[in-house]
Every structure is written in structure tokens, then in C-alpha cells.
Amino acid sequence: MTLAVRYTAPRTLGTAPAEIRSPGPGEVELAPAYVGICGTDLHIFHGDMDARVAAPAVLGHEMSGRVVRVGPDVEGWQPGDAVTVMPLRWDGTCPACASGHRHVCQNLDFIGIDSPGAMQQRWTVPAATLVRLPGSLALDRAALVEPTAVAVHDVGRAGVREGERVVVVGGGPVGVLIALVARAAGAEVRVVELSAHRRLLAEELGLTAWDPAADDVPELVLRWTGGAGADVAFEVSGAAGGAGTAVEVLGVRGRLCLVAIHPRPREVNLHRFFWRELTLVGARLYDRSDFERAVTLVADGTIPAERLISKVVPLTEAPAAFEALEAGGDVMKILVDCGNGTTGA
């Protein structure tokens, strides 16, 4: 038996024993070490995704851990290997897959949402989802590879180039990661964030952060860019006001990359798109090259993962951790310790 965190109803999580499923052909059994709680997990917790998530559901897709057993026909992996998981399972036959965009498969199984996730002591997944971790990378830091892969994909979708001026609207974990990845690509970056705690963390990481409640952000952008406006804006806040700000700060032929999940339609200044010939691109998930790049960025310290981890809680305290994240405050990223690793490699 193993212990798992399960979502059973809106705002209801619990830990309970679960059966360990032996790996079948092409599968591996993992011992998750650390699992991050993300915004999507909170949406599930609130009941916003009940039409998609079949309760009881084991959550979690930001993880690190080690291989325990390999199933038949699995090559290249052995017990003890340090791994993370790219939690996507596509059908390979839909129009999206046929056109080379498997990560947005029209019948995608996002593991941890559509099927059981990593917030358990044993987890069986397809071997094809594994991404190798370097032995020098601490497993707690490695749990941030998945959200870093999101940021890598977002920056790639926006086509950020060296010397460009970039505004990131929303300074939560993904927003800060986007800012750091964009900076690594040679861009000048500003972060817009309401939370004083998150602004302070961004500043400590060498980023400039603005408070939209106190600052005239579009005016600051004009001063910063000599009246030109930003080349790229990322909307990561998920708020109507954030979307408006992201459009307003862009200069002629600027690119808006939509990252946040907006659960309802938003009013958008389409005249601004016409007048300045703006471009809107969506960014969802990642591919394997994004994941591999993310491993490198976390391992070499470009992404200071340890600075983004607010706290680590044991598996049995995961339900309380969800409530702490929901309350906001001085919290960035909470990891759930599944009891299978230490902070070292």
C-alpha cells in the first residue's frame, strides 16, 4: 500500500492508503520525492474543473523523484535514476498530433488532471514521459523543472529576442520564471505584481517590479522605452485588469503572449490591436525540448529554484498547504514531501 492525496469534492482533500500498481509494458514505477502545488491544482481544489476531473483524483504534476521498478520492454532506465515527468500523453492520431503539435493533442491526457498524478508515495507512469535529471541537482529544486518548462515554452512562443523590452503582468511563480527565462534570453524585463511580498522577491532576484495599484504602469513603460512601448507582454495574472495592462503597454507590432487561464471571456481593446498592429499568441504547456532546456536552467542556477520555494510540507499536510496557498500572503511555491527523498540529490 501507498499513501496518496485525493481530491473528492470542492474544497475537500484527504490522504488515504492506495494500491500500488505494478508497471506494465512500457511503464515505470516511481517514488515521487517532491511535488509542487500549482494554480491548476488550486482550480481543481475549488471545484472549477469538476467537469473534467473524475473524483476521487490524485493531483500533482510538478514533481521530482526516482525510478523504483521498470516494466517489460522498458530500456534506458533503472532503479535509482533521478527523474521528473513531462505529464502529457497524446493519442498521436488527432489533427493536432498529425500537424506536429502533440503537446496540444485534441484528446490530451494531462497526467495529474485527467489521470492520477504524483501526490502519492508510488506512481506508475509511461516510461516515455520520463525526463532525466543530473545527479548533482537536488530533488527539491528539481520539482520546479515543470513550471520552468512552461516558462521556456512561453518565452519561445513570444519569440523573445536579445535586447527587447518585456513586461510580465503577474509575478507569481510562473510569472517570475518567465521573467528569469526572458532575462536569460537577453531581454530587459519588468514585472507587474500587486503582492508586496512577490514584488520584493522579484527585486531580490535582480528584477524590477512595479505595483499596478500605486504605479501608472503604461506611463512607466513609456518612460522606460523612450515612448516606444514594450516589445513583448506576458499576461500571467488571469485578471481582467491584467489583460488590459498587457495590451496597453505594447508598442507598435508588439506581441502579447497569453499564459494565464481566463475562465470567462474578457473585454479586450481590439482597436489597440488594429492601431498598433499587435500580435496575440497563446501559450499552453511545453514539449520535450522545453523540458530539457528547463532542466539545464534549474541545474546551472539560472533559475534559483531554492529562492522560489516558500515551504515544504509532508504529504499528510498537503490539504492545509492548499488552504495556505489560497489565502495568499507571503507564499510563492509550496512543495509536498512524499517521504521518498531528501533535499540532496
Side-chain angles (χ1 to χ4, degrees), residues 31-37 60-66 83-85 118-120 123 133 137-145 309 311-315 334-345:
Y34 298 94
V35 181
I37 304 173
H61 56 271
E62 302 179 0
M63 64 81 62
S64 63
R66 295 189 183 276
V83 298
T84 185
V85 165
M119 215 168 284
Q120 52 185 319
W123 189 34
L133 298 173
L137 179 57
L139 290 179
D140 56 346
R141 300 178 187 185
L144 272 75
V145 165
I309 300 170
K311 63 167 64 173
V312 180
V313 303
L315 195 68
I334 297 179
L335 301 185
V336 175
D337 182 351
C338 294
N340 291 314
T342 65
T343 55

Side-chain angles (χ1 to χ4, degrees), residues 26-53:
E27 294 183 326
V28 295
E29 180 188 325
L30 303 180
Y34 298 94
V35 181
I37 304 173
C38 80
T40 301
D41 296 322
L42 283 178
H43 282 302
I44 296 172
F45 176 64
H46 293 153
D48 297 337
M49 298 177 66
D50 280 0
R52 178 176 173 185
V53 176

Side-chain angles (χ1 to χ4, degrees), residues 180-246:
L180 293 171
V181 173
R183 184 175 69 181
E188 297 181 47
V189 184
R190 299 293 185 267
V191 176
V192 179
E193 170 56 43
L194 282 167
S195 164
H197 171 72
R198 289 179 169 181
R199 287 198 309 274
L200 177 60
L201 177 58
E203 297 276 2
E204 290 174 348
L205 296 175
L207 300 164
T208 298
W210 293 328
D211 179 1
D215 301 323
D216 185 337
V217 173
E219 178 61 28
L220 288 174
V221 171
L222 288 177
R223 293 181 201 166
W224 172 43
T225 62
D231 300 293
V232 181
F234 291 91
E235 204 311 276
V236 201
S237 73
T245 297

Side-chain angles (χ1 to χ4, degrees), residues 145-171:
V145 165
E146 193 272 353
T148 300
V150 170
V152 171
H153 185 76
D154 298 342
V155 170
R157 282 285 289 155
V160 173
R161 297 183 291 269
E162 185 173 0
E164 289 194 312
R165 307 286 180 88
V166 171
V167 177
V168 180
V169 181

Side-chain angles (χ1 to χ4, degrees):
M1 299 292 286
T2 184
L3 193 64
V5 177
R6 285 197 178 93
Y7 167 80
T8 54
R11 304 189 56 78
T12 306
L13 292 172
T15 54
E19 294 290 337
I20 298 176
R21 186 171 70 81
S22 297
E27 294 183 326
V28 295
E29 180 188 325
L30 303 180
Y34 298 94
V35 181
I37 304 173
C38 80
T40 301
D41 296 322
L42 283 178
H43 282 302
I44 296 172
F45 176 64
H46 293 153
D48 297 337
M49 298 177 66
D50 280 0
R52 178 176 173 185
V53 176
V58 180
L59 307 185
H61 56 271
E62 302 179 0
M63 64 81 62
S64 63
R66 295 189 183 276
V67 174
V68 175
R69 288 189 291 173
V70 300
D73 305 323
V74 172
E75 297 181 355
W77 299 102
Q78 59 185 7
D81 286 344
V83 298
T84 185
V85 165
M86 186 174 76
L88 308 181
R89 186 159 39 199
W90 45 77
D91 65 10
T93 61
C94 74
C97 290
S99 63
H101 307 302
R102 299 181 302 181
H103 71 290
V104 287
C105 170
Q106 290 163 235
N107 301 299
L108 185 69
D109 173 6
F110 191 108
I111 305 172
I113 298 175
D114 304 307
S115 57
M119 215 168 284
Q120 52 185 319
Q121 292 174 319
R122 290 291 185 273
W123 189 34
T124 298
V125 297
T129 65
L130 299 186
V131 178
R132 193 177 301 276
L133 298 173
S136 60
L137 179 57
L139 290 179
D140 56 346
R141 300 178 187 185
L144 272 75
V145 165
E146 193 272 353
T148 300
V150 170
V152 171
H153 185 76
D154 298 342
V155 170
R157 282 285 289 155
V160 173
R161 297 183 291 269
E162 185 173 0
E164 289 194 312
R165 307 286 180 88
V166 171
V167 177
V168 180
V169 181
V174 171
V176 169
L177 288 169
I178 289 171
L180 293 171
V181 173
R183 184 175 69 181
E188 297 181 47
V189 184
R190 299 293 185 267
V191 176
V192 179
E193 170 56 43
L194 282 167
S195 164
H197 171 72
R198 289 179 169 181
R199 287 198 309 274
L200 177 60
L201 177 58
E203 297 276 2
E204 290 174 348
L205 296 175
L207 300 164
T208 298
W210 293 328
D211 179 1
D215 301 323
D216 185 337
V217 173
E219 178 61 28
L220 288 174
V221 171
L222 288 177
R223 293 181 201 166
W224 172 43
T225 62
D231 300 293
V232 181
F234 291 91
E235 204 311 276
V236 201
S237 73
T245 297
V247 173
E248 188 70 18
V249 300
L250 287 169
V252 170
R253 291 209 168 180
R255 288 105 66 198
L256 170 58
C257 185
L258 182 62
V259 178
I261 297 173
H262 286 259
R264 59 186 60 85
R266 303 294 191 192
E267 288 191 8
V268 178
N269 185 354
L270 292 180
H271 183 268
R272 187 84 169 183
F273 275 80
F274 157 75
W275 199 250
R276 294 203 163 188
E277 290 197 345
L278 305 181
T279 298
L280 171 64
V281 296
R284 177 186 170 203
L285 302 175
Y286 29 63
D287 58 26
R288 181 163 286 272
S289 65
D290 298 322
F291 244 85
E292 291 169 349
R293 175 65 175 154
V295 170
T296 298
L297 292 174
V298 175
D300 69 12
T302 299
I303 302 299
E306 70 283 359
R307 301 292 304 278
L308 301 178
I309 300 170
S310 302
K311 63 167 64 173
V312 180
V313 303
L315 195 68
T316 53
E317 294 181 17
F322 274 74
E323 294 176 2
L325 273 175
E326 182 182 42
D330 298 347
V331 179
M332 182 65 83
K333 176 63 67 176
I334 297 179
L335 301 185
V336 175
D337 182 351
C338 294
N340 291 314
T342 65
T343 55

